[in-house]
Amino acid sequence: MSNNHGRVINFGAGPSALPEPVLEEAAKGLFNFQNTGIGIAEISHRSKEFTSFIANLESLIRKQLDVPPTHEILFTQGGGSNQFSAVVLNMLARWRLLHPEAPAEEAVMDYVVTGSWSKKAMEEAKRLGGGRVNAVADSRQFSQTGKAFDNIPSHDAYKFSRDPALIYYCENETVDGVEFSHEESSPAAFPFQLLGQSTEKQLLPLVADYSSSFMCRPIPRLADHAIVYAGAQKNIGPAGLTVIIARKDCLVDVDAAARLGAAPVPIMLSWKTLSDSKSLYNTPSVLSIYMTGLVLERIDSLGGLKYFEDLNRRKASKVYAAVKEGQDRGVFQKKVKDGSESWMNVVFEVFGEGAEKRFLDGAEKKGMKGLKGHRSVGGIRVSLYNAITEEQVDTLVTYMNDFVAEETKPKAEQ
C-alpha cells in the first residue's frame, strides 16, 4: 500500500489511476490556478491563462504523437460513446458532400468488430441509419465458442467495402483485453495494406477509437487516419474530456450536407463547430483539461512516449509471465489468444471453487483494488495504464506468484 495519502494501488479500468505528483499539483490548482487567485474549477474558460493552457496541451499532444499539420486536435465532452454517434454523423455528412447525387443506401460504413466497444459503436451506426453497415471482420467467428472476443482476426478475414463513408476500429478493447499489435509483421496488426485496395479515395476515411491506449505508445500510421479519438480517463486524465485528432477534410459543413440530404448534426457533435471555436464553443471540461495538461507535461519531462512505450512493454510482459506461470500450474487461464493480448488490460480467469474471490480478497488485503473483470465477462482484469508504476506491477506479480503457490499446495499443507 502507498504511504502517501492512504492510497492503494488502483488497477481499475477507468476512471483509472493518475500519477500522484499530478494529483498533488492539481490540488494546488484547485485553490489557485497559475497565480490568478482563482481555482481552476472556477476560472473562466475564456481567460488568457486558460486559453494559453489549452493551447499548450494541444502542442504537447502534437509533439508527443508527431501529429502532422494535416490534422487538428480538438477537445470535447461526452466520452468515447458520444463519438460513436459523432463519427457516423460527421463522416456521413462528408460522404454526402463528396457524393451529392448518390442514393443514401450507397453509403457504406465499415466496422471491424473485435470486442465490446467496437460492437457498441457498430450498433450505434445501425441505430442512426443513413447508410449500410458492414462488419468487415468479427473476431467472435474465430473463437472456439463462436461468442468470445478473444483474438484479432488474421488479415485474410477482412472484407472492406469499396469507397466506404468510414472504416472503424477500436485499437484496444478494454473489456475483452484484445489489442491490435504494433508490429507491422504481426498477423494481429491492423491491415493497413488492404485499405488502398478497397477505396477509390486517396484520403482514407479511417477512424480509430484509442480511448484505452492513448499516449501509452506511438500510434502506427497516424497520418493515414481520418480520425483518432480517445476518452481521457484511462491514460491521461479524469473522466469528462475526449481528445479528437481530426484530418482537416473531415471538418465539414454539416449544414450544407444536410441541405443535400444528410442527417442534421447536433451542433455540439459537429467537429467543424469544435474546430471553428478552438474547442471553446461552450464551457469545456476545464478541470479535466487542466489535469490532462499536467499529465502531458509529466510525460514530456520523463522522456515522452518512448519512455512509456518501454515501461508499458515491461509491465505487460511481467504480468503475462505471471499469468503463464499460473496457467502452467492449473490456477490461471489467459482469456486472449497469443499475439492478440492487450498491453493495457490483462484478462484471465482463476480456477477452483471460490478461488476468484480468494484472489480478489487477498489482493485487497495487500492494498490492490480494481482487479475484478468487467461485469459482462467476469474473471480478473489488470489495467496497466501509464500511472501504474513498475514497482506496483512487481507487487502484483509477487502476489500472483504467491497465490499460485498457495493454491497448488497439497491440501495437508494448506
Side-chain angles (χ1 to χ4, degrees):
M1 182 181 294
S2 168
N3 292 322
N4 295 328
H5 312 292
R7 290 169 60 79
V8 300
I9 304 175
N10 176 15
F11 288 107
S16 54
L18 286 164
E20 288 188 2
V22 166
L23 294 175
E24 290 168 349
E25 183 64 25
K28 298 175 186 175
L30 279 171
F31 285 95
N32 188 349
F33 171 62
Q34 295 190 347
N35 296 316
T36 58
I38 302 173
I40 182 61
E42 308 161 289
I43 200 164
S44 168
H45 60 292
R46 310 279 182 195
S47 67
K48 67 179 186 298
E49 292 85 2
F50 183 76
T51 54
S52 174
F53 188 91
I54 197 172
N56 184 59
L57 171 57
E58 177 185 341
S59 69
L60 286 168
I61 294 173
R62 189 173 294 278
K63 172 187 174 183
Q64 293 299 338
L65 287 174
D66 195 21
V67 179
T70 51
H71 290 63
E72 291 192 14
I73 298 171
L74 311 173
F75 304 103
T76 190
Q77 297 147 306
S81 297
N82 211 39
Q83 293 307 306
F84 294 167
S85 310
V87 163
V88 171
L89 295 172
N90 283 272
M91 296 304 284
L92 283 179
R94 176 182 181 270
W95 185 88
R96 173 51 62 197
L97 292 170
L98 291 171
H99 305 84
E101 306 296 331
E105 57 269 20
E106 289 186 11
V108 182
M109 295 174 278
D110 278 359
Y111 280 79
V112 180
V113 184
T114 54
S116 300
W117 293 113
S118 50
K119 176 175 173 285
K120 285 179 180 289
M122 184 176 70
E123 289 169 349
E124 177 66 356
K126 291 178 177 178
R127 193 184 74 82
L128 291 175
R132 181 166 55 87
V133 176
N134 171 48
V136 172
D138 189 326
S139 66
R140 288 172 293 187
Q141 298 174 1
F142 306 98
S143 69
Q144 189 170 357
T145 64
K147 298 178 181 179
F149 289 117
D150 64 1
N151 68 93
I152 296 293
S154 61
H155 292 178
D156 58 1
Y158 292 76
K159 294 179 174 58
F160 291 104
S161 303
R162 187 166 187 80
D163 193 22
L166 65 94
I167 303 164
Y168 187 103
Y169 74 101
C170 179
E171 197 269 349
N172 180 76
E173 291 281 1
T174 325
V175 171
D176 306 282
V178 175
E179 185 172 24
F180 285 90
S181 172
H182 283 204
E183 301 296 331
E184 285 198 23
S185 59
S186 169
F190 189 84
F192 293 102
Q193 75 280 3
L194 299 180
L195 297 180
Q197 303 170 19
S198 64
T199 179
E200 299 172 350
K201 302 299 176 185
Q202 186 176 5
L203 295 176
L204 294 168
L206 183 62
V207 177
D209 175 358
Y210 260 79
S211 290
S212 52
S213 53
F214 193 64
M215 301 299 293
C216 81
R217 56 185 180 179
I219 295 177
R221 297 178 64 162
L222 173 59
D224 290 337
H225 289 75
I227 300 292
V228 171
Y229 73 82
Q233 69 276 12
K234 309 295 186 180
N235 265 318
I236 61 168
L241 170 67
T242 302
V243 180
I244 305 169
I245 301 173
R247 199 173 60 215
K248 292 178 181 178
D249 65 284
C250 298
L251 307 174
V252 300
D253 185 337
V254 295
D255 293 334
R259 289 193 289 272
L260 293 172
V265 180
I267 193 72
M268 285 307 299
L269 292 186
S270 164
W271 296 328
K272 188 174 188 299
T273 298
L274 293 172
S275 173
D276 289 348
S277 63
K278 298 188 182 300
S279 300
L280 297 173
Y281 182 83
N282 71 331
T283 306
S285 301
V286 174
L287 180 58
S288 296
I289 288 170
Y290 173 58
M291 294 183 69
T292 297
L294 296 180
V295 171
L296 266 291
E297 288 172 359
R298 181 174 181 271
I299 289 175
D300 194 43
S301 71
L302 290 172
L305 289 196
K306 180 65 169 67
Y307 170 87
F308 279 96
E309 180 177 26
D310 293 343
L311 173 63
N312 288 324
R313 181 186 288 110
R314 293 196 305 271
K315 292 189 311 188
S317 295
K318 288 182 176 184
V319 177
Y320 279 113
V323 173
K324 184 179 187 305
E325 174 68 19
Q327 185 167 299
D328 290 345
R329 298 181 67 177
V331 178
F332 298 149
Q333 177 63 54
K334 183 162 66 78
K335 296 175 73 172
V336 175
K337 292 182 179 178
D338 291 348
S340 299
E341 305 99 325
S342 166
W343 281 19
M344 295 285 98
N345 310 103
V346 180
V347 294
F348 60 95
E349 294 178 343
V350 185
F351 288 143
E353 185 177 349
E356 181 180 305
K357 185 177 187 304
R358 286 195 298 276
F359 181 88
L360 293 170
D361 290 347
E364 186 159 348
K365 287 177 183 176
K366 292 185 176 293
M368 294 177 284
K369 292 186 177 182
L371 290 165
K372 189 173 179 60
H374 190 273
R375 61 188 179 278
S376 64
V377 294
I380 304 298
R381 173 171 55 178
V382 182
S383 294
L384 301 172
Y385 300 124
N386 284 357
I388 295 295
T389 67
E390 193 165 6
E391 180 184 16
Q392 290 172 331
V393 168
D394 289 341
T395 299
L396 173 66
V397 166
T398 297
Y399 169 68
M400 292 171 68
N401 291 335
D402 290 347
F403 180 85
V404 169
E406 183 65 27
E407 290 289 304
T408 52
K409 274 185 183 178
K411 289 192 181 298
E413 297 180 27
Q414 290 184 7

